[in-house]
Amino acid sequence: MQIKVDLDDGFLPRIYTSNANVKHSGQPILSFPIEIKSIPAITTAFAISLIDYDAVPRTGFPFIHWLATNIPVMAEIPADFSRNFEGPQVKTHGCHAFIS
Protein backbone atom coordinates (compact mmCIF):
# COMPACT_ATOMS: atom_id res chain seq x y z
CA MET A 1 0.00 0.00 0.00
CA GLN A 2 1.21 3.53 -0.75
CA ILE A 3 0.18 6.49 1.40
CA LYS A 4 0.59 10.11 0.28
CA VAL A 5 -0.05 13.34 2.18
CA ASP A 6 0.67 16.60 0.34
CA LEU A 7 3.15 18.75 2.23
CA ASP A 8 4.41 22.33 1.93
CA ASP A 9 8.23 22.30 2.18
CA GLY A 10 8.07 19.09 4.24
CA PHE A 11 5.32 20.28 6.60
CA LEU A 12 1.54 19.91 6.71
CA PRO A 13 -0.17 22.91 5.09
CA ARG A 14 -0.93 25.60 7.68
CA ILE A 15 -4.71 25.05 7.44
CA TYR A 16 -4.26 21.70 9.24
CA THR A 17 -1.89 22.92 11.98
CA SER A 18 -1.97 25.15 15.04
CA ASN A 19 -1.92 28.05 12.55
CA ALA A 20 -5.33 27.06 11.15
CA ASN A 21 -8.27 29.45 11.13
CA VAL A 22 -10.78 26.64 11.78
CA LYS A 23 -10.45 25.63 15.44
CA HIS A 24 -12.42 24.30 18.40
CA SER A 25 -11.28 25.28 21.90
CA GLY A 26 -8.10 26.67 20.34
CA GLN A 27 -7.24 23.40 18.56
CA PRO A 28 -7.25 22.84 14.76
CA ILE A 29 -10.12 20.61 13.65
CA LEU A 30 -9.61 20.15 9.90
CA SER A 31 -8.19 16.71 9.12
CA PHE A 32 -5.86 16.64 6.10
CA PRO A 33 -6.50 14.55 2.95
CA ILE A 34 -4.71 11.21 2.64
CA GLU A 35 -4.25 9.50 -0.75
CA ILE A 36 -4.04 5.70 -0.69
CA LYS A 37 -2.85 3.56 -3.62
CA SER A 38 -2.25 -0.15 -4.20
CA ILE A 39 -4.82 -1.15 -1.59
CA PRO A 40 -4.78 -4.94 -1.10
CA ALA A 41 -8.01 -6.56 -2.34
CA ILE A 42 -8.64 -8.17 1.07
CA THR A 43 -8.68 -4.80 2.88
CA THR A 44 -11.98 -4.28 4.71
CA ALA A 45 -11.21 -1.06 6.63
CA PHE A 46 -8.37 1.32 7.50
CA ALA A 47 -6.83 2.40 10.78
CA ILE A 48 -4.66 5.51 10.83
CA SER A 49 -2.68 7.40 13.44
CA LEU A 50 -0.79 10.65 13.72
CA ILE A 51 2.08 10.31 16.18
CA ASP A 52 4.33 13.30 16.87
CA TYR A 53 7.85 12.03 17.54
CA ASP A 54 9.13 15.63 17.60
CA ALA A 55 7.30 16.06 20.91
CA VAL A 56 9.74 13.81 22.77
CA PRO A 57 12.10 16.64 23.84
CA ARG A 58 9.14 18.58 25.31
CA THR A 59 7.02 15.76 26.74
CA GLY A 60 9.42 12.85 27.18
CA PHE A 61 7.31 10.62 24.91
CA PRO A 62 5.82 10.60 21.38
CA PHE A 63 2.50 12.46 21.42
CA ILE A 64 -0.48 10.67 19.83
CA HIS A 65 -2.48 13.43 18.16
CA TRP A 66 -5.14 11.05 16.89
CA LEU A 67 -6.02 7.46 16.13
CA ALA A 68 -8.97 6.38 13.99
CA THR A 69 -10.20 2.89 13.13
CA ASN A 70 -12.98 1.37 11.03
CA ILE A 71 -12.45 3.85 8.17
CA PRO A 72 -14.10 2.48 5.01
CA VAL A 73 -11.80 1.52 2.15
CA MET A 74 -11.37 4.46 -0.26
CA ALA A 75 -8.62 5.77 -2.54
CA GLU A 76 -8.60 9.13 -0.76
CA ILE A 77 -9.63 10.09 2.71
CA PRO A 78 -10.73 13.65 1.91
CA ALA A 79 -9.89 16.81 3.83
CA ASP A 80 -12.22 17.36 6.80
CA PHE A 81 -13.33 13.71 6.66
CA SER A 82 -13.46 13.64 10.45
CA ARG A 83 -16.34 16.13 10.56
CA ASN A 84 -18.14 15.30 7.30
CA PHE A 85 -18.19 11.50 7.01
CA GLU A 86 -21.75 10.16 7.10
CA GLY A 87 -21.18 6.40 6.89
CA PRO A 88 -20.69 3.74 9.59
CA GLN A 89 -19.18 4.92 12.86
CA VAL A 90 -15.45 5.59 12.78
CA LYS A 91 -13.86 5.03 16.17
CA THR A 92 -11.48 7.82 17.17
CA HIS A 93 -9.23 8.95 19.97
CA GLY A 94 -7.12 12.07 20.24
CA CYS A 95 -7.33 15.74 19.40
CA HIS A 96 -10.31 17.44 17.80
CA ALA A 97 -8.96 17.03 14.24
CA PHE A 98 -10.16 13.43 13.99
CA ILE A 99 -13.05 13.23 16.41
CA SER A 100 -16.38 12.82 14.70
Side-chain angles (χ1 to χ4, degrees):
M1 201 164 31
Q2 298 172 346
I3 311 287
K4 180 184 174 196
V5 173
D6 286 331
L7 303 175
D8 289 342
D9 293 323
F11 296 95
L12 284 175
R14 295 173 64 89
I15 63 171
Y16 307 115
T17 71
S18 60
N19 297 309
N21 292 328
V22 180
K23 295 183 179 184
H24 175 75
S25 300
Q27 297 295 316
I29 57 172
L30 276 175
S31 54
F32 50 86
I34 303 170
E35 184 180 336
I36 307 164
K37 294 181 179 179
S38 303
I39 301 166
I42 62 169
T43 304
T44 58
F46 292 125
I48 58 175
S49 63
L50 178 61
I51 302 172
D52 185 353
Y53 293 98
D54 291 338
V56 173
R58 292 189 326 262
T59 63
F61 56 89
F63 186 81
I64 301 172
H65 285 276
W66 43 258
L67 172 65
T69 62
N70 200 32
I71 298 171
V73 176
M74 57 185 79
E76 181 181 46
I77 299 171
D80 212 12
F81 172 84
S82 58
R83 295 188 306 153
N84 294 314
F85 180 65
E86 295 182 2
Q89 181 180 11
V90 173
K91 298 181 185 293
T92 61
H93 174 74
C95 78
H96 299 290
F98 230 95
I99 295 178
S100 43

